[in-house]
Amino acid sequence: MSNYRPPVSDLAFVLEHVVGYPEIAAYPGYEHADLETVVGLLEEAGDFMVSAVAPSNHVGDTEGARHQPDGSVVTPAPFRQAYKQYVDAGWGSVPFPEEFGGGGFPWTVGLAIQEMLGASNMAFALCPLLTQGAIDALLHYGSDEQKQAYLPKMISGEWTGTMNLPEPQAGSDVGALTARAVPNADGSFAITGQKIFITFGEHDLAEQIVHLVLARTPGAPEGTRGISCFIVPKFLVNEDGSLGERNGVKCLSIEHKLGIHGSPTCVMEYDGATGYLIGEENLGMRIMFVMMNSARLSVGTQGLALSERAYQDARDYALERRQGLAIGATGKDSAIVEFPDVRRMLLTQKAYIAAMRRLMLFNAVHIDKSTHDPDPQVRRRAGEIVGLLTPICKSFGTDLGNELTSLALQVHGGMGFIEETGAAQYYRDVRITAIYEGTNGIQAADLVGRKLGVRDGASILEFLASMREIDAELAAAGADFDSIRSDLTTQLDALQSATEWMLRTARQDPNAILSGSSPYLRMWGLVVGGWLMARSALAAGSLGDSDVAETQLVLARFYAEQLLPQAAGLQGAATAGSADLFALTTAQL
């Protein structure tokens, strides 16, 4: 296992030259968030992750979280020290408002830090990630009193947060939940029910856990329309802000999982626990979507983070491992990095990782535009782009996370199958990312069911048109860019054709577009990635740094010639309809 090396130089290049971060830094209120300051912050964050968090990764995997008879949960020993250092350093507070003790930086900066945290130790990183989602929900919908009572200590990390959605009979179908919320005389509610798969629902890293719980009030409508959201703290909070008596919430057990062993995944029982309504009754799904949309981009970034960590280990192993003799080599043996297929695997990882990083940060920049640009029309359009890109980021990032950690394991050969090398842990840990925060099939359904029809399809067609605007720049850039230009045009044409089919078919046969939604989403990820890689190569060519220019050009060309063509290959699956999927009876499956 090698030491993690934070990719700060690439993060800085992407922020400045590819996704337009300087425009965000120019917004009112972000005067302190100029690019130079941000790059320095990322360098400091990277150093912290390497020294304080990364060493806990392997130990956390082998030691795991442990459930105690009294309902408490003990996390791996290195987690406790790492979390204290994380809180003391204030890294979790970076992207939140200064009025509640945050750093007041753009969300884009927070996401870049999340990548490095997740690469250092994904299981550990889940605790701050869930807390950030809960903070976001309270910022949008909490009352002034709730914000003052909970946000300062949640933003500092002294208190952590969770989201409690699924139940044993209601996983992704949240509308089937049965947890009850009965009004108390003092305006609070008594929450009763059981929740499953609650990440860090119980732990020993912080003194307080603030659960955001979905439940039904008496007489609420059926389905998702009748769900409300409640703050249910582990300990009740006194008027002076100190912690009071233990609330009626308990961890019954934790799951035994394929990966992320250091992160306790809890079964939670609420037995008349005191809860406080957030917003109004029956707005629970709207509130939870704030948390989930934030988390979906973060989960896509987890796929990127573990891909980067696994790639670094695979590259180091390929440089060190000597076996066989490469063509044209002399001596007794060669490092395996000299063999063409190993080069193919490494370059596939490196190019996909670069495309993912650009996609995640491009989305994050538009989140900041949607909330801070002075022009309401710019904010509105940025919000549409965020809506389009979020399911793509989540699915494309996590599908690739599975594929690239597997490829990294393959580079190790037989040693990759041995736990001591660390390659297997990345492969195991990343597998959950395609499942939680809405399975990738749900993301694809969201893309075609909700995002495709925004403004009757005009929104998505406008984004396609905006990607085509790069053609003139590529044409003027010279022969080195010819294949990038031609391949990108071909794949944009395929995506355009599939999109027009989806728009034509959506009303008359919604089952048909759902049947092709996953390959269609993959087409989007591939093409947007290719477009952003082309932007990177063009930007690097004007910097006067030959090494950066060559690296970005080769990566963009490799992506365009060897990875991007998959998009057109998926067009048939995207537009095939549902007939064959349902041609066999269930007994024949």
Side-chain angles (χ1 to χ4, degrees), residues 7 42 46 65 97 104 134 137 209 242-243 309 352 426 471 504 543 552 587:
L42 294 180
I209 305 173
S242 63
L243 298 184
R309 184 74 185 270
Y352 267 137
Y426 307 133
D471 187 71
R504 288 196 308 271
L543 295 181
Q552 295 302 319

Side-chain angles (χ1 to χ4, degrees), residues 262-295:
S263 167
T265 302
C266 303
V267 176
M268 303 296 296
E269 180 182 61
Y270 293 85
D271 185 11
T274 300
Y276 307 95
L277 181 68
I278 304 174
E280 302 173 7
E281 289 188 39
N282 304 327
L283 291 182
M285 284 307 297
R286 187 180 301 176
I287 296 168
M288 277 295 177
F289 266 115
V290 170
M291 295 180 68
M292 291 173 69
N293 282 331
S294 168

Side-chain angles (χ1 to χ4, degrees), residues 212-259:
L212 267 58
V213 182
L214 294 186
R216 295 185 183 280
T217 55
E222 294 295 320
T224 56
R225 295 184 302 112
I227 295 173
S228 300
C229 187
F230 300 86
I231 299 170
V232 186
K234 177 180 176 179
F235 292 96
L236 298 179
V237 181
N238 297 321
E239 290 187 8
D240 63 359
S242 63
L243 298 184
E245 64 182 70
R246 178 70 185 259
N247 207 351
V249 54
K250 182 179 181 180
C251 174
L252 298 180
S253 64
I254 62 175
E255 305 296 350
H256 304 281
K257 302 167 297 189
L258 176 69

